[in-house]
Amino acid sequence: MNRRDILRRTAVAGALATPVAGLLTGCALGGGDDSDGGDNRAEKTAENPLGVKADAPLEVVIFNGGFGEEYAKAHEAMYAEKYPKAKITHSATQEINKTLQPRFVDGTPPDVINNSGAGQIDFNGLVSQGTLADLGELLDAPSLDDPSKKVRDTLLPGTVEVGSYNGKFLALNYTYTAYGIWYSTKLFTEKGWQYPKTWDEHIALCKQIKAAGIAPWTYAGKHPRYMSWPLLSTAIKFGGISVATAIDNLEPNAWKSDAMKAAADAWHQIVKDGYILAGSPGLDHKQSQTEWSQGKAALISCGSWLESEQKSVTPDGFNMSIAPTPSLGSSDKLPFEAIRGTAGEPFIVPAKAKNLAGGLEYFRIMLSKKGAQDFTRKVSSLPVVAGATDGVELPFGLTTVSKALEASGSNGFNWVYNTFYRKLERNLVDAACGEFFSGRIGPAEFLELCQKGADSIASDNSITKYKRAV
Amino acid sequence: MRHGKYPLIITFLLPPLLLYGIFVLSPYAQAFQISTTDWLGYSPDAKFLGLDNFTALWRDEYAWNAIKNNAILLLLLPVLTIGLGLFFSTMLTMGGRRGRAGVVGVRGSAFYQLVYFFPQVLSVVIIAYIWREMYHPNSGLLNGALAGLGLPTPAWLGDPRFAFWCVLAAMVWSNVGFYVVLFGAAMQSIPKDIYEAVMLDGASRWTTLFKVTIPLLWDTVQVAWIYLAIAALDGFILVQLMTDGGPNYSSDVIGLRMYNTAFGSETKFGYASAIGVVMFFLTLSVSVLALRAAKRDRIEYS
């Protein structure tokens, strides 16, 4: 309310870009190039394959979101057990970007960063400026549990791909997330409904649900990109994985492929026939999920974090289940069971970390069976370590996630355009989905808008481009 | 006294000036410098681009769309807020005319004053959340009332036809209380005998308001105008929290463009600084224009 405040805010980009230490003469761009963590290493041995200096301090910064920070403290304790002489500094924040940006410029970033949440640092920015350490060394190091196995071989499929930029593995995504359609097993059993396997069954079911006085669908109207996930999944299952690679690689007219057209037409039907809860375009993700938990809508699109996010408002015995998107028809390239599974919750080690080897070693501990199981128990989420949840009792929803991923097996698919070009999904496709699922535009205009967004990224020279092979 | 003057002045003036220089002026200067580079914000490397960022900004349709919204705010926010503020404060300080010669507010004006001022003590973030729930399409107060009356219930913040106006309404609501109190205080300092004279001459309330009160309040209104004009060029917090510029950029403002460019879905600090520089000049020109346009001869009561 004070004029000076407001004026000052106009210069906020400049102000926030200034490290507090910067004096009048020193400027935001004048950070040092002198520090390099590379040589802070001990000799590599079989015991110590990454060459960790036993007394080198380790600094860890955790995103304090849905998972909290307790799991990280446990991992740090495991590190301390192995290297008792190392001083470990732990901090947690919701604003990773604002907290760490000056330290990247200054050349003094922490050793381990959990770069996640809404305040996540854009990966395109980090990668294109060469600020991330190559984690390839970690992949080839022996696993802590079984020295005859490499860390690489203990990871679930897709973990390496989703953290790789032009072939370099730069981000370790620690959780394994499935994206699908959720329903309440309790509601479906009570009403005698069956989760649909084909599109025709899906539409028939929607009709039935609507007749029962419940809205078949709801979605986060404020973050409508949640609905781009089932739409893209339908297209990929229909047309094969090349539909996704074309989009990721920003190929011309990738969004207007035949498979995308078929999927957009199909999904347009739930809008046309009024199968979406009235008012959904005005709800944010929490609000729409709450409507769903309260039984006002039967189906919702979300990732496997849904169960823990909804914990406080889900009625007892709701028993949420995840399911893949229905198949469009018999000519689908992927079976009904194929579901989008991907590694999420990225962890990074900055290239200029003082204790780079320690950061990698910390990851090796996270990826050990002990570290991974502890994580699952604390936050009820699946880690990317294969078989880590064996013998751990999972909540209902997560069990269905685990089963769905198993059934999907090698047919699982994913896309990465959203991590390559955050703006494309977060802003452009998001806005197009908002228009499409509220019924203001039709399928052709929707794909046109998405394509326009992708083209604007492709033609922007200031954005680094990435390619993926499969 | 005399010989100790300069050390005293220096002791008290220098530290604040120094702090002001470091934390206010230097970021400004740096924003100008950064706006001429392609700095991406996570390494010290940046390439000098000259005015490329500004030419790109000139062709940026999203920036223009945001500026258009700011322009609408600039036209409407001061008019609505000052209009309502004047109306309420008039009612509160001279709306009632119980005694013939007395100038008093409507019954319970002290209570109303408190109520109007209430949004002012809330953080803007809380205001944004309150209004988001008010506009909740299914369980919000607004649609609850509309449904009760049998009227259609739009998805307010989810509909590009309404989202911007909904935010504007919240903006006016959160601002009006401050100006009610400000104008009220100014009105109280107008000598009562002026009103008594006017009343004896038989002036109507409207004449009193437009011929006496507002001219005597002109200085205050002018200040209010400038504050609100600057607030209209900002609008960032409410927009970000209530709609995040959506749906489909319909409620976007230039401050949000800048934030998104630097911290949101891109990390283009050079480009964001260019937006900041443009905002700086826009705000500056608007304040200068407002000061010039609103200039009147000062009336002194004596």
Side-chain angles (χ1 to χ4, degrees):
Chain A
M1 269 337 292
N2 157 325
R3 176 172 169 218
R4 208 189 298 148
D5 274 351
I6 294 163
L7 275 176
R8 205 186 293 134
R9 210 175 293 145
T10 62
V12 78
L16 288 169
T18 317
V20 180
L23 289 177
L24 260 177
T25 47
C27 80
L29 300 181
D33 223 357
D34 42 5
S35 68
D36 190 3
D39 43 15
N40 195 10
R41 288 208 181 193
E43 209 182 315
K44 293 182 186 176
T45 60
E47 289 292 279
N48 186 3
L50 295 163
V52 182
K53 245 188 182 173
D55 58 348
L58 182 79
E59 187 186 355
V60 182
V61 179
I62 295 295
F63 165 65
N64 196 352
F67 295 146
E69 52 176 314
E70 292 310 316
Y71 75 91
K73 284 183 180 159
H75 290 151
E76 285 155 21
M78 292 173 205
Y79 186 92
E81 210 174 291
K82 213 168 164 218
Y83 301 97
K85 274 188 270 173
K87 183 180 172 287
I88 298 178
T89 319
H90 166 99
S91 58
T93 171
Q94 304 236 356
E95 295 287 356
I96 293 288
N97 193 347
K98 278 182 232 160
T99 321
L100 297 180
Q101 199 256 339
R103 298 188 55 186
F104 270 102
V105 178
D106 205 29
T108 56
D111 305 308
V112 172
I113 302 170
N114 169 208
N115 182 26
S116 196
Q120 175 197 53
I121 313 175
D122 171 35
F123 267 99
N124 194 297
L126 285 175
V127 175
S128 66
Q129 293 171 78
T131 57
L132 300 183
D134 191 338
L135 307 176
E137 202 182 340
L138 167 74
L139 293 180
D140 294 323
S143 143
L144 264 182
D145 303 307
D146 177 3
S148 67
K149 250 187 177 175
K150 287 180 180 175
V151 169
R152 180 194 298 276
D153 303 323
T154 64
L155 301 178
L156 289 175
T159 310
V160 175
E161 285 73 21
V162 75
S164 296
Y165 294 81
N166 285 346
K168 260 188 172 176
F169 184 53
L170 301 177
L172 169 68
N173 288 278
Y174 190 52
T175 62
Y176 207 74
T177 310
Y179 291 79
I181 296 171
W182 292 81
Y183 62 94
S184 158
T185 315
K186 185 186 172 205
L187 180 73
F188 271 52
T189 321
E190 268 175 19
K191 305 274 182 186
W193 296 332
Q194 193 70 41
Y195 184 82
K197 293 203 166 178
T198 68
W199 194 260
D200 293 339
E201 281 171 39
H202 170 225
I203 294 300
L205 176 68
C206 284
K207 204 171 182 182
Q208 228 180 327
I209 296 174
K210 198 177 179 184
I214 298 173
W217 273 89
T218 186
Y219 70 102
K222 298 262 186 76
H223 314 287
R225 61 175 177 275
Y226 278 53
M227 286 307 276
S228 71
W229 305 335
L231 197 154
L232 278 165
S233 299
T234 303
I236 292 164
K237 282 164 84 163
F238 180 72
I241 195 72
S242 61
V243 176
T245 44
I247 285 175
D248 290 342
N249 293 338
L250 297 178
E251 280 171 23
N253 288 325
W255 287 87
K256 295 201 271 188
S257 63
D258 290 338
M260 284 301 291
K261 277 183 189 142
D265 282 339
W267 281 95
H268 187 52
Q269 197 170 356
I270 67 163
V271 184
K272 240 180 4 201
D273 294 354
Y275 290 149
I276 296 178
L277 177 71
S280 292
L283 304 173
D284 68 15
H285 63 297
K286 285 263 174 87
Q287 289 170 332
S288 64
Q289 286 161 201
T290 304
E291 300 278 302
W292 172 76
S293 290
Q294 290 170 347
K296 289 181 191 150
L299 300 165
I300 196 166
S301 150
C302 199
S304 47
W305 62 83
L306 179 69
E307 187 176 37
S308 59
E309 194 169 39
Q310 288 302 97
K311 217 173 198 170
S312 58
V313 289
T314 308
D316 283 340
F318 187 79
N319 289 352
M320 58 179 80
S321 297
I322 197 173
T325 50
S327 306
L328 267 192
S330 51
S331 61
D332 273 27
K333 293 243 168 59
L334 298 176
F336 164 75
E337 285 75 21
I339 196 165
R340 178 187 176 204
T342 173
E345 200 68 15
F347 280 74
I348 51 177
V349 175
K352 286 189 178 167
K354 293 262 179 315
N355 187 4
L356 207 153
L360 297 178
E361 180 71 10
Y362 180 80
F363 286 173
R364 204 158 72 103
I365 291 170
M366 284 172 74
L367 296 174
S368 70
K369 208 149 219 177
K370 189 178 164 204
Q373 285 198 339
D374 185 78
F375 175 77
T376 302
R377 282 204 196 88
K378 282 208 166 69
V379 305
S380 30
S381 199
L382 304 177
V384 291
V385 183
T389 51
D390 296 348
V392 181
E393 200 179 323
L394 302 175
F396 191 95
L398 202 58
T399 315
T400 67
V401 171
S402 179
K403 276 189 196 142
L405 283 170
E406 211 170 293
S408 166
S410 61
N411 288 312
F413 56 90
N414 187 31
W415 56 85
V416 289
Y417 82 92
N418 50 326
T419 58
F420 282 177
Y421 317 106
R422 187 169 153 89
K423 180 184 180 184
L424 182 52
E425 189 195 34
R426 290 270 170 151
N427 293 2
L428 306 171
V429 171
D430 191 64
C433 285
E435 297 298 287
F436 181 56
F437 283 99
S438 61
R440 288 189 290 273
I441 58 173
E445 290 154 288
F446 165 69
L447 297 178
E448 192 68 47
L449 266 182
C450 294
Q451 188 57 49
K452 195 181 136 210
D455 291 343
S456 77
I457 300 283
S459 65
D460 188 337
N461 294 327
S462 63
I463 297 173
T464 312
K465 307 299 185 304
Y466 303 101
K467 290 263 183 278
R468 73 162 180 146
V470 242
Chain B
M1 266 317 270
R2 185 141 277 248
H3 72 252
K5 200 170 86 177
Y6 290 106
L8 184 82
I9 291 178
I10 290 171
T11 331
F12 279 96
L13 206 56
L14 212 55
L17 274 183
L18 207 65
L19 287 176
Y20 190 77
I22 293 173
F23 292 112
V24 180
L25 294 181
S26 106
Y28 267 84
Q30 289 192 29
F32 278 80
Q33 184 219 342
I34 293 169
S35 72
T36 60
T37 66
D38 68 345
W39 192 42
L40 290 171
Y42 293 91
S43 80
D45 311 320
K47 210 169 70 206
F48 179 73
L49 290 178
L51 294 176
D52 285 6
N53 280 329
F54 293 94
T55 43
L57 191 54
W58 183 258
R59 286 192 297 260
D60 186 340
E61 54 175 310
Y62 295 108
W64 280 109
N65 167 58
I67 287 179
K68 185 202 81 195
N69 283 339
N70 278 113
I72 299 174
L73 283 180
L74 186 62
L75 287 177
L76 293 182
L77 182 68
V79 173
L80 290 173
T81 314
I82 293 177
L84 283 172
L86 275 174
F87 172 71
F88 288 133
S89 56
T90 311
M91 294 306 285
L92 291 182
T93 44
M94 52 193 66
R97 273 195 187 169
R98 268 166 288 162
R100 281 183 55 86
V103 181
V104 289
V106 294
R107 200 185 296 249
S109 59
F111 172 71
Y112 288 125
Q113 211 142 21
L114 196 75
V115 171
Y116 288 137
F117 197 68
F118 192 59
Q120 216 57 41
V121 300
L122 293 177
S123 140
V124 189
V125 178
I126 295 176
I127 291 176
Y129 277 90
I130 291 177
W131 280 88
R132 251 168 54 165
E133 290 308 317
M134 291 274 285
Y135 289 128
H136 190 295
N138 300 333
S139 54
L141 198 60
L142 188 58
N143 274 358
L146 287 177
L149 294 170
L151 294 170
T153 54
W156 299 106
L157 296 176
D159 191 325
R161 285 173 302 168
F162 300 121
F164 176 73
W165 307 106
C166 290
V167 178
L168 175 66
M171 228 176 251
V172 170
W173 179 83
S174 63
N175 274 312
V176 123
F178 177 78
Y179 295 98
V180 171
V181 173
L182 183 74
F183 295 148
M187 280 178 195
Q188 307 245 309
S189 70
I190 300 174
K192 287 248 158 85
D193 25 350
I194 299 184
Y195 286 107
E196 285 166 11
V198 177
M199 238 187 283
L200 284 176
D201 289 344
S204 73
R205 287 192 189 200
W206 284 110
T207 325
T208 317
L209 181 65
F210 284 108
K211 293 277 159 71
V212 179
T213 314
I214 294 182
L216 286 175
L217 282 182
W218 197 249
D219 274 357
T220 320
V221 172
Q222 192 186 344
V223 171
W225 199 280
I226 295 166
Y227 271 28
L228 285 165
I230 294 170
L233 288 179
D234 176 25
F236 167 72
I237 307 179
L238 276 184
V239 170
Q240 199 215 12
L241 291 171
M242 285 176 70
T243 64
D244 203 15
N248 200 12
Y249 296 92
S250 61
S251 59
D252 206 8
V253 289
I254 191 72
L256 185 62
R257 255 336 56 242
M258 180 171 76
Y259 179 86
N260 255 334
T261 310
F263 296 106
S265 45
E266 294 174 280
T267 61
K268 293 184 181 171
F269 281 75
Y271 194 61
S273 295
I275 299 179
V277 167
V278 168
M279 276 177 78
F280 171 80
F281 283 114
L282 278 180
T283 319
L284 202 67
S285 345
V286 165
S287 356
V288 170
L289 280 178
L291 273 168
R292 283 283 160 80
K295 209 165 193 171
R296 293 277 166 97
D297 283 336
R298 165 169 287 206
I299 301 166
E300 297 191 23
Y301 349 105
S302 56

